[in-house]
Amino acid sequence: QVQLVESGGGSVQTGGSLTLSCAASGLNSKYYSMGWFHQGTGRGREAVATIDSDGTTTYADSVKGRFTISKDNAKNTLYLQMNRLKPEDTAMYYCASAPIRGLTIGTMARGAADWGKGTLVTISS
């Protein structure tokens, strides 16, 4: 059974940085696509960044150049480094995994099989 547990959320000012972590169990991240999603108040869940089993990454246009997704296969942990944060980045952030290789920003939502419970990120202006 796959379990995903996010951590690292918090409250920072505009322009600040946060690093989110997602500890995964029950899967081998070498063979999964994984990703980060966010959901702001009154908005749907949107893909933010994905990373394939071979390390290929994709990003939503809104975070390109500011966010970096990475993973440590030995620790089965997914990360999201978020820099130059903006108030519009305020949201719950969720980790997701899929036992399918090659998923991207456009396909991760359909392929995701497991989700974490989320960690809240709040950016103040």
Side-chain angles (χ1 to χ4, degrees):
Q1 182 179 357
V2 174
Q3 288 191 320
L4 304 171
V5 180
E6 302 95 336
S7 62
S11 181
V12 298
Q13 292 186 327
T14 297
S17 298
L18 281 173
T19 299
L20 306 183
S21 299
C22 172
S25 60
L27 63 80
N28 188 330
S29 61
K30 290 192 297 185
Y31 306 112
Y32 277 64
S33 294
M34 300 189 73
W36 288 97
F37 290 72
H38 67 190
Q39 185 169 15
T41 302
R43 301 180 65 177
R45 193 171 294 188
E46 301 173 328
V48 173
T50 67
I51 186 165
D52 194 4
S53 55
D54 66 358
T56 300
T57 58
T58 64
Y59 296 91
D61 288 343
S62 60
V63 306
K64 281 180 182 176
R66 299 189 299 122
F67 290 12
T68 302
I69 188 171
S70 63
K71 61 177 180 171
D72 185 329
N73 287 333
K75 296 181 179 179
N76 256 6
T77 301
L78 181 71
Y79 302 97
L80 185 67
Q81 173 67 45
M82 305 186 294
N83 298 324
R84 305 202 309 275
L85 284 159
K86 304 175 181 180
E88 51 264 43
D89 295 321
T90 294
M92 282 292 288
Y93 282 74
Y94 299 91
C95 172
S97 68
I100 306 169
R101 297 181 181 182
L103 296 182
T104 66
I105 280 292
T107 58
M108 185 70 196
R110 290 196 298 274
D114 295 283
W115 298 83
K117 294 183 178 180
T119 186
L120 180 62
V121 172
T122 304
I123 312 303
S124 58
S125 57

